[in-house]
Amino acid sequence: MSERVIRLDLGSPLEFFGPGDSNLNLIKSAFPKLKIIVRGDIIKLIGTENDIVTFEKRLDLLVIQFDRFGKINEDVVTRIMGEDSEENGSVDKSDSDVLVYGRHGKLIKALTINQKRMVESCDKNDLVFAIGPAGTGKTYTAVAMAVRALKNKEVKKIILARPAIEAGESLGFLPGDMKDKLDPYLQPLYDALRDMLPTQKFLSYLEDDTIEVAPLAFMRGRTLSNAYAILDEAQNATESQLKMFLTRMGKSSKFIVTGDITQIDLPRQKLSGLLQAHKLLSGIKGVEFIQLDGRDVVRHKLVTRIIEAYNKTDDKKKVKS
């Protein structure tokens, strides 16, 4: 006899096992010779090695289905855990361009040519800069890739950072404790994560620091290993701040830096670290810069027109100067 312990990486074990353990009872009935003990998200198996291996394969398919659609019913459990499930292709794995199956079965994927270039670049390089105007999906695509890496166990944690309050990160005058002061500046990152993870799983990741959302200043002195790190709004990081962030990279880590060089809020005497990085790091092996533009805007169609109007004004200013 063999024993195996499996930990399910699910948002809600209660939803997975069904009301009154209806799904769990069907899972057990499909393997009558296997002793299956469930405690929360932990499953202990006792039986022959062949039965355990077969059970794990089918359970993986069931978890994929639950992860994809956010729910499973008794018909799905019976079909996937049945004897012919693997041969009959119980789960369609053909959506190769899907980055993450978000909440309620939402398919999250790269939607434009440059977003797809960003995904391909991140698969090949350990440091990628995604530069472009508002609404081009820079942050959302970056977060999706980080969540995908975490789900695939390619990394152990996700680090999401932003310069808080322009570049100075002066939070003292704001009301509330530190979390209250920071949350408004980190809200876009929270919004993206909530789109991609079940609520309970998202909260548990925050609680155990599997996902860490923090202002850029909190990165100082650390080494980020086995992590997917994203620096958002990097145009508002100073030269020293961006250098500090980039040199946090540890073993088995991926870094993505996103920013919009048309919305730099730094004082005039300070150069944006993102502009300097583009000059210094372009051409270095393992580093790639992806440029997104108005064609990549995935918000309201007016956003594209607004960006074009501002770009024309900026071009006129450059000609006059």
Side-chain angles (χ1 to χ4, degrees), residues 129-140:
F129 290 80
I131 301 173
T136 51
K138 307 179 300 293
T139 302
Y140 199 79

Side-chain angles (χ1 to χ4, degrees), residues 119-170:
V119 172
E120 292 169 359
S121 178
C122 289
D123 288 338
K124 297 175 184 175
N125 301 285
D126 288 337
L127 174 58
V128 173
F129 290 80
I131 301 173
T136 51
K138 307 179 300 293
T139 302
Y140 199 79
T141 303
V143 172
M145 287 187 290
V147 171
R148 181 187 66 173
L150 183 64
K151 286 189 172 185
N152 292 342
K153 295 180 170 42
E154 296 167 11
V155 296
K156 292 183 178 179
K157 69 182 304 175
I158 296 173
I159 307 287
L160 304 173
R162 262 190 165 201
I165 306 185
E166 302 175 352
E169 306 192 33
S170 301

Side-chain angles (χ1 to χ4, degrees), residues 234-239 261 264 266 270-277:
Q235 75 276 3
N236 289 328
T238 64
E239 299 170 72
I261 57 175
I264 297 173
L266 288 165
K270 290 189 176 182
L271 176 67
S272 168
L274 187 57
L275 291 175
Q276 185 202 42

Side-chain angles (χ1 to χ4, degrees), residues 80-232:
I80 291 180
M81 300 304 288
E83 292 183 4
D84 299 325
S85 64
E86 293 158 69
E87 291 78 5
N88 291 337
S90 298
V91 177
D92 179 12
K93 298 182 180 180
S94 61
D95 294 325
S96 58
D97 59 342
V98 174
L99 297 173
V100 178
Y101 293 97
R103 296 177 63 192
H104 311 299
K106 181 178 181 180
L107 304 183
I108 297 171
K109 58 177 77 176
L111 299 176
T112 69
I113 291 175
N114 286 322
Q115 286 179 12
K116 290 176 181 176
R117 286 186 59 222
M118 185 176 165
V119 172
E120 292 169 359
S121 178
C122 289
D123 288 338
K124 297 175 184 175
N125 301 285
D126 288 337
L127 174 58
V128 173
F129 290 80
I131 301 173
T136 51
K138 307 179 300 293
T139 302
Y140 199 79
T141 303
V143 172
M145 287 187 290
V147 171
R148 181 187 66 173
L150 183 64
K151 286 189 172 185
N152 292 342
K153 295 180 170 42
E154 296 167 11
V155 296
K156 292 183 178 179
K157 69 182 304 175
I158 296 173
I159 307 287
L160 304 173
R162 262 190 165 201
I165 306 185
E166 302 175 352
E169 306 192 33
S170 301
L171 302 168
F173 71 93
L174 291 174
D177 59 19
M178 182 59 73
K179 185 178 186 301
D180 294 331
K181 296 173 192 288
L182 295 174
D183 277 354
Y185 301 95
L186 305 174
Q187 196 60 49
L189 300 174
Y190 286 124
D191 290 343
L193 288 167
R194 287 192 182 98
D195 248 11
M196 301 172 196
L197 293 166
T199 301
Q200 290 304 315
K201 177 54 67 175
F202 170 58
L203 294 175
S204 69
Y205 278 156
L206 288 177
E207 188 175 344
D208 65 12
D209 284 335
T210 298
I211 293 179
E212 184 179 347
V213 186
L216 177 57
F218 283 30
M219 298 297 106
R220 193 173 302 278
R222 301 176 58 183
T223 299
L224 307 179
S225 300
N226 298 303
Y228 217 111
I230 299 171
L231 174 60
D232 193 35

Side-chain angles (χ1 to χ4, degrees), residues 312-321:
K312 288 178 183 177
T313 301
D314 291 340
D315 291 340
K316 289 178 182 179
K317 288 180 180 178
K318 290 178 182 177
V319 171
K320 288 182 180 179
S321 61

